[in-house]
Amino acid sequence: MVCSVRPLECGEAGLLHSLALRCPPLDLHTPYTYWVISEFFHDWCFVLQIDGQSAGFVTCVQRDSTLFLWQVGILPEYRRHGYSRLLYAQVLDKALCQGIDVITTTIADDNVASRVSMESFFIRSGGTMRAVGTVELLDDTDPGFSEVETKYVITVGEV
């Protein structure tokens, strides 16, 4: 298999939405949300390619010196092969080049695989990943909806 990671191109909202749809249990957002990401934050997003086909992605949002790692998705058939490390490495390299040494993210407590994968990568890269609290997500239109994610701060080191 030939693996590579490429930057997301402006306007590839459909690709992000399609990949997210095929990456359960990843939260699927509206096509408009992915349009905003691809239009305004594409320079912090990367696509995993395996044998020329899109097999995963990572999206980040930057505001000033704050980088938020938003979604990471790998198609189910490519999971547990270490491909997420390729995506994290792109984020880390760009962060270091931009002088960003702290990344924030949230992960649902039941998503152990994502947490372990991310933590393992950043620790091996000389950084740390620590829980700093929780984020409770509510929906005013659905009183029964409540989701809690743990918020993490990742300090990055040299690759």
Side-chain angles (χ1 to χ4, degrees):
M1 283 193 231
V2 177
C3 302
S4 62
V5 175
R6 67 168 178 83
L8 181 74
E9 294 179 19
C10 184
E12 288 191 302
L15 173 63
L16 287 179
H17 187 261
S18 170
L19 286 169
L21 179 65
R22 298 180 310 168
C23 289
L26 190 65
D27 288 338
L28 180 65
H29 298 280
T30 66
Y32 183 77
T33 302
Y34 293 107
W35 175 81
V36 169
I37 294 297
S38 72
E39 187 73 17
F40 297 102
F41 301 103
H42 63 90
D43 54 336
W44 274 105
C45 303
F46 301 94
V47 178
L48 171 68
Q49 304 262 219
I50 298 178
D51 292 334
Q53 300 297 312
S54 298
F57 69 98
V58 62
T59 56
C60 299
V61 177
Q62 181 187 13
R63 185 185 67 201
D64 302 322
S65 63
T66 300
L67 184 64
F68 181 76
L69 197 156
W70 182 47
Q71 282 194 310
V72 180
I74 304 288
L75 295 177
E77 60 268 32
Y78 297 110
R79 293 179 185 163
R80 294 176 181 72
H81 297 286
Y83 294 125
S84 61
R85 289 189 311 251
L86 299 173
L87 294 167
Y88 298 142
Q90 290 294 316
V91 171
L92 177 59
D93 287 347
K94 184 168 176 94
L96 292 171
C97 286
Q98 299 277 328
I100 295 171
D101 56 4
V102 175
I103 300 170
T104 303
T105 195
T106 63
I107 304 172
D109 289 344
D110 62 351
N111 194 346
V112 175
S114 286
R115 182 186 52 77
V116 168
S117 169
M118 194 177 296
E119 187 173 41
S120 173
F121 172 81
F122 285 106
I123 287 173
R124 279 193 303 237
S125 299
T128 62
M129 182 170 154
R130 61 183 171 81
V132 295
T134 58
V135 176
E136 184 175 8
L137 307 171
L138 303 172
D139 183 344
D140 288 343
T141 64
D142 181 359
F145 176 84
S146 175
E147 187 175 312
V148 176
E149 295 199 359
T150 299
K151 181 178 178 182
Y152 295 91
V153 169
I154 300 164
T155 56
V156 297
E158 299 291 328
V159 177

